[in-house]
Amino acid sequence: MAEEIAPIVELAEWFETPPGQYALRWEQAQFDAVVADVFGYNALQVGLAELDLLRANRMPFKAYVGEVMPEPDVAARWQACTVADPHALPFESGSIDLLVLPHAFECTDAPHEILREVERVLMPEGRVVISGFNPWSLWGARNRMPGMEPWLPHAPSAQVSLARVKDWLKLLSFEVDRGRFGCYAPACRTDVWLDRWKFMESAGDRWWAVCGAVYVVSAIKRVAGMRLIGPAWKQKRKAPAAASVVANHRVGDL
């Protein structure tokens, strides 16, 4: 079993700070946009049960899985909660339509193993959405300054760049269809200063996109030789990625 990397500050706790709220607002908007039109039956969020990153999705079954059972009031927001190691998800192969992983790779020393589990449990044409801190951003640089108090909740060595995540996804036959950086403001601890640097959002998107503090990437599981079959009169139309595949296994009882 892979050894978990201890965070400098708990991630959920960090999200309660002004810079954490700033990053969370951006991430939530990106997840909402990506998952809104993903169809199927079963959607899972791995980690951070306090955040509902599946709220914009319309699948009938949305559940949380993580190494710690959420508090009762948080657990009540989910249709099901499962305590499990993300390196060994307790679900049948090809049974999940959508899987979101907020900052999951930063909490382990074997992120590629988590990604292999994601590939196993996802259905063909299933989608994974991943977020993480960008080690090459202003925030990442601030976190590396010697003698400075740690800025991000995880050590620089735990952060995985978007380029590396894309390489891992391609090796596992995923097709990356969306990827975006955000949060270009410098490392400020108060809402006042974060608001003063708000103009950098539009400037950053245009001039230094790869320097955003946070990224979100989405990819679709492709299976070589698989052909989606539908009614003859619909063959000329492009079917929704996950809606054209019927799940053989429903995740009913976790």
Side-chain angles (χ1 to χ4, degrees):
M1 182 181 296
E3 180 183 356
E4 184 177 344
I5 295 176
I8 298 170
V9 179
E10 289 294 337
L11 186 56
E13 179 184 338
W14 184 84
F15 273 129
E16 295 296 324
T17 67
Q21 287 289 299
Y22 164 58
L24 179 58
R25 286 192 296 270
W26 184 85
E27 284 192 51
Q28 184 75 67
Q30 307 312 307
F31 275 97
D32 287 350
V34 173
V35 307
D37 295 323
V38 181
F39 301 100
Y41 296 101
N42 303 306
L44 292 178
Q45 177 172 313
V46 178
L48 292 177
E50 299 84 358
L51 313 179
D52 185 0
L53 300 175
L54 293 170
R55 67 182 187 182
N57 185 263
R58 292 167 286 178
M59 290 190 194
F61 184 79
K62 293 183 282 188
Y64 159 82
V65 57
E67 295 185 290
V68 178
M69 179 61 72
E71 294 295 325
D73 58 330
V74 175
R77 306 172 196 168
W78 296 94
Q79 290 174 273
C81 291
T82 299
V83 176
D85 186 343
H87 302 87
L89 296 172
F91 309 111
E92 294 186 13
S93 299
S95 61
I96 305 299
D97 300 282
L98 171 62
L99 216 162
V100 298
L101 293 94
H103 299 274
F105 293 167
E106 294 151 12
C107 300
T108 175
D109 62 354
H112 51 285
E113 292 183 9
I114 294 180
L115 196 54
R116 280 201 290 266
E117 269 297 274
V118 169
E119 191 277 335
R120 181 186 67 80
V121 302
L122 274 180
M123 293 182 60
E125 305 300 302
R127 184 184 295 271
V128 59
V129 189
I130 302 163
S131 69
F133 292 114
N134 177 19
W136 311 119
S137 66
L138 292 175
W139 290 16
R142 164 65 174 75
N143 220 40
R144 284 177 163 80
M145 289 183 180
M148 299 287 287
E149 182 183 353
W151 173 255
L152 294 173
H154 296 97
S157 60
Q159 295 162 21
V160 182
S161 69
L162 178 57
R164 179 172 293 184
V165 172
K166 286 183 175 180
D167 286 342
W168 290 342
L169 288 166
K170 290 176 182 177
L171 286 173
L172 290 172
S173 300
F174 281 90
E175 179 183 327
V176 177
D177 67 336
R178 303 184 196 180
R180 188 177 179 187
F181 290 96
C183 301
Y184 297 94
C188 303
R189 294 193 181 278
T190 66
D191 289 322
V192 173
W193 280 101
L194 287 169
D195 286 341
R196 289 182 181 178
W197 289 100
K198 190 178 296 184
F199 71 91
M200 290 188 68
E201 291 304 310
S202 57
D205 266 342
R206 183 173 182 181
W207 299 110
W208 52 85
V210 296
C211 294
V214 189
Y215 63 80
V216 171
V217 61
S218 166
I220 300 172
K221 177 181 174 180
R222 301 300 191 191
V223 177
M226 193 186 94
R227 183 179 179 184
L228 301 182
I229 300 176
W233 61 275
K234 288 186 177 180
Q235 286 182 357
K236 293 184 179 180
R237 298 179 60 187
K238 186 176 180 181
S244 298
V245 183
V246 178
N248 293 322
H249 304 283
R250 296 288 300 276
V251 184
D253 298 316
L254 296 182

